[in-house]
């Protein structure tokens, strides 16, 4: 993806996510997508592809039971198809997925579908209600 096309890519992704029911806005070079029943997404476009990121706050137990929290994250990663999960030093929980290449409607629709299936699987991982807010 050429840098001249990054604005076009952000616009295409924003329109696609709006079609899927997200409320979409832009913040500089980032597309922000909010949904009432799906994870909110910060979308960053790069010349090589697009990064989806969602961030969740964690309960205090995530800091107190760090080993249990990390075991929860490992289990979540084992069930994921395209997503990866990790925590930062402040115990925020991150969901990320990388869409490689240029925006193509059918391919991007498949990507979003897999992202949403990963989120549904994540909700079934034991410990989610213990560690995430």
């Amino acid at each position: 993806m050429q840098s001249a096309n990054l604005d076009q890519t952000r616009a295409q992704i924003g329109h696609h996510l709006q079609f899927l029911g997200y409320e979409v806005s832009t913040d500089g070079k980032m597309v922000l997508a909010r949904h009432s029943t799906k994870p909110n997404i910060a979308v960053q476009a790069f010349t090589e592809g697009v990064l989806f990121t969602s961030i969740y706050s964690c309960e205090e137990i995530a800091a107190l039971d760090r080993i249990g929290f990390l075991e929860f994250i490992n289990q979540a990663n084992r069930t994921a198809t395209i997503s990866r999960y990790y925590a930062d030093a402040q115990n925020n929980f991150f969901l990320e997925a990388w869409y490689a290449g240029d925006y193509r409607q059918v391919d991007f629709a498949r990507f979003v579908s897999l992202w949403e299936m990963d989120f549904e699987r994540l909700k079934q991982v034991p410990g989610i209600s213990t560690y995430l807010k």
Side-chain angles (χ1 to χ4, degrees):
M1 184 181 324
Q2 296 178 349
S3 61
N5 294 333
L6 291 178
D7 288 337
Q8 179 182 358
T9 297
R10 282 188 283 274
Q12 290 170 316
I13 288 170
H15 291 297
H16 194 123
L17 292 172
Q18 277 181 320
F19 176 77
L20 296 175
Y22 287 84
E23 180 182 318
V24 175
S25 62
T26 57
D27 181 14
K29 297 194 179 280
M30 192 174 299
V31 175
L32 304 173
R34 297 189 178 280
H35 197 283
S36 61
T37 61
K38 299 174 184 175
N40 297 328
I41 310 166
V43 181
Q44 298 174 72
F46 298 92
T47 55
E48 303 83 11
V50 175
L51 181 66
F52 268 36
T53 305
S54 292
I55 306 170
Y56 285 85
S57 298
C58 293
E59 299 289 351
E60 187 177 342
I61 189 70
L64 299 173
D65 179 19
R66 184 72 176 175
I67 292 173
F69 181 46
L70 294 176
E71 288 173 354
F72 159 74
I73 293 171
N74 284 341
Q75 178 62 32
N77 279 311
R78 282 192 290 275
T79 66
T81 302
I82 64 164
S83 301
R84 63 180 178 228
Y85 309 114
Y86 63 92
D88 65 7
Q90 291 75 40
N91 290 316
N92 293 307
F93 181 76
F94 288 76
L95 295 73
E96 289 189 340
W98 177 256
Y99 173 81
D102 294 328
Y103 171 85
R104 286 179 298 280
Q105 185 177 24
V106 171
D107 294 338
F108 188 74
R110 253 187 245 122
F111 169 79
V112 172
S113 178
L114 290 170
W115 164 265
E116 291 174 351
M117 285 192 304
D118 276 356
F119 183 69
E120 291 303 314
R121 279 192 213 96
L122 173 64
K123 293 188 319 187
Q124 303 305 315
V125 175
I128 191 163
S129 61
T130 302
Y131 297 110
L132 301 188
K133 288 186 178 178

